[in-house]
Amino acid sequence: MTHSLAIETQDLGRAYKIREAKKKEAKTLVALRDVSLQVPRGELFGLLGPNGAGKTTLIKILTTLLAPTAGWARVAGFDVARAPNQVRPRINMVSGGESSGYGLLTVRENLWMFAQFYGIPTKPANARIDELLATLKMSDRANTKSSDLSTGLRQKTNIARGFLTDPQVLFLDEPTLGLDVGASRDVRAFVRGWINADRARTLLLTTHYMVEADELCDHVAIINQGRVLACDAPANLKQRLQREAIFHLEVSPLKDSVLPMLQALPGVCQVTHHPADDRAALDFILADESVLGAVINTLTQADIRLLRLDKRAPTLEDVFVNLVGRSIEEVERADPSPA
């Protein structure tokens, strides 16, 4: 174990036995398979993948809430299965959409109560609560009952609770889930500032929002169907696609027969389709720019009108599509089950 690593996993796996009605043999569901990661201390590390990819299962193992069925994991230098009581005082966790405490208590009362659970003396606890509420732009809601808060403010209260203990390693599982654009921006700025203020801290973030991973994370692991497909700095992941040409097209509504024709064109590496009521968006990864002519010809022959065309730089969405063959949105539509 290298002491500079805050999180380390080796061939980590988790499988569930599911017994179906009227069947004698249990079915095995594999949520994680052969996950090997190294997260240096001081990093903001992202797990990027669709709902059901295994992100939450991985966090539950790393926070000692779930035992692995294969491999091992260490957090803050301690094995999560063999020494959970050494791991727990050094970590904290926030999940998007979870309850923010007791509804009859105010925001301040809830945070003070959690501070007592963690053994933080009253004076430093109150100072920390004031600081967190100010940073999250919630000072004016300190005396509001939690039951009267909006979804976004409840989630901000959860985030304040997670940071209250100033843990060595913090886990944020979809922290901006359900937040509006302004609240999400506040949370991202706060998270990045927390890491920058003390490089002894480490934060592991799970998200299926590409912009969030790109904007926040030092390194990103792309995960799908329980496997880590790639892990690198966001810029390096996108650099892999720089040699290819990426185009965004907006066209009149697409006929069902046209998409397979586009996918079959020589030089089309990937194409994703985003239908809407009055138009469709198509994102292409092409072997080179010359392939665009064949794409336009195919659309013209199919009576599809081109409304807009943009060449753009690669995004993490393009990296995911290149690895998986479908966008995160398409994967979630095909298999919406959580993991």
Side-chain angles (χ1 to χ4, degrees):
M1 168 67 183
T2 304
H3 292 296
S4 62
L5 294 178
I7 300 168
E8 186 178 17
T9 73
Q10 184 65 47
D11 300 327
L12 195 66
R14 173 71 197 192
Y16 299 90
K17 294 287 187 181
I18 301 174
R19 192 168 296 280
E20 298 178 350
K22 299 180 181 180
K23 290 189 178 181
K24 292 184 179 180
E25 293 186 4
K27 179 183 176 182
T28 300
L29 172 66
V30 179
L32 285 180
R33 189 192 303 272
D34 301 327
V35 173
S36 297
L37 292 172
Q38 292 187 337
V39 180
R41 188 172 58 176
E43 278 222 348
L44 202 167
F45 187 91
L47 283 176
L48 176 63
N51 294 324
K55 305 187 303 293
T56 297
T57 297
L58 178 55
I59 275 200
K60 285 183 175 179
I61 291 173
L62 296 176
T63 54
T64 77
L65 298 176
L66 195 64
T69 52
W72 54 263
R74 296 190 184 111
V75 174
F78 298 94
D79 189 288
V80 297
R82 296 178 181 176
N85 291 334
Q86 296 294 327
V87 173
R88 289 169 187 158
R90 294 168 168 83
I91 66 172
N92 211 336
M93 175 183 174
V94 176
S95 294
E98 69 179 330
S99 170
S100 56
Y102 293 96
L104 292 177
L105 298 182
T106 66
V107 170
R108 178 181 295 281
E109 288 168 342
N110 268 304
L111 292 175
W112 183 86
M113 179 185 66
F114 282 117
Q116 301 315 293
F117 292 161
Y118 296 130
I120 304 173
T122 296
K123 187 174 180 180
N126 283 331
R128 183 70 175 144
I129 289 167
D130 287 340
E131 178 189 352
L132 287 167
L133 292 180
T135 305
L136 289 167
K137 302 178 182 178
M138 286 189 64
S139 297
D140 60 335
R141 299 304 183 101
N143 297 316
T144 302
K145 287 184 179 180
S146 293
S147 58
D148 294 334
L149 296 175
S150 67
T151 300
L153 291 176
R154 282 198 297 271
Q155 181 60 1
K156 282 190 174 184
T157 304
N158 286 336
I159 289 165
R161 173 180 55 76
F163 287 87
L164 193 58
T165 58
D166 198 18
Q168 291 181 31
V169 184
L170 180 60
F171 297 89
L172 297 183
D173 189 14
E174 301 282 1
T176 59
L177 189 67
L179 298 187
D180 61 31
V181 173
S184 297
R185 190 184 303 115
D186 290 345
V187 169
R188 287 198 295 269
F190 175 62
V191 165
R192 188 71 253 183
W194 184 78
I195 282 287
N196 291 343
D198 185 349
R199 300 306 291 192
R201 298 164 171 165
T202 305
L203 193 149
L204 189 145
L205 166 81
T206 78
T207 184
H208 65 281
Y209 298 131
M210 299 292 179
V211 172
E212 193 161 85
D214 205 352
E215 180 181 323
L216 282 178
C217 298
D218 300 308
H219 285 84
V220 170
I222 294 178
I223 184 170
N224 190 53
Q225 295 183 340
R227 290 182 181 273
V228 172
L229 305 179
C231 183
D232 209 333
N236 292 341
L237 289 170
K238 291 182 288 185
Q239 183 67 33
R240 300 179 187 185
L241 297 181
Q242 288 284 20
R243 65 186 182 278
E244 296 165 325
I246 299 174
F247 289 92
H248 175 81
L249 279 65
E250 291 183 12
V251 298
S252 58
L254 211 61
K255 301 167 187 173
D256 291 341
S257 60
V258 177
L259 190 60
M261 294 167 58
L262 294 170
Q263 292 168 329
L265 289 173
V268 173
C269 304
Q270 297 288 349
V271 55
T272 54
H273 175 216
H274 308 280
D277 291 337
D278 62 339
R279 63 183 58 206
L282 296 168
D283 288 301
F284 286 89
I285 301 176
L286 306 177
D288 58 65
E289 290 191 22
S290 64
V291 181
L292 184 62
V295 170
I296 301 298
N297 286 338
T298 301
L299 291 171
T300 302
Q301 290 169 10
D303 250 355
I304 306 297
R305 287 182 295 113
L306 179 63
L307 307 175
R308 179 175 176 177
L309 187 154
D310 295 303
K311 183 180 180 182
R312 56 176 178 76
T315 66
L316 286 180
E317 175 79 20
D318 298 319
V319 175
F320 184 89
V321 170
N322 186 252
L323 291 168
V324 176
R326 296 182 293 174
S327 68
I328 279 188
E329 185 182 72
E330 289 171 323
V331 171
E332 289 179 344
R333 283 203 302 264
D335 183 14
S337 58

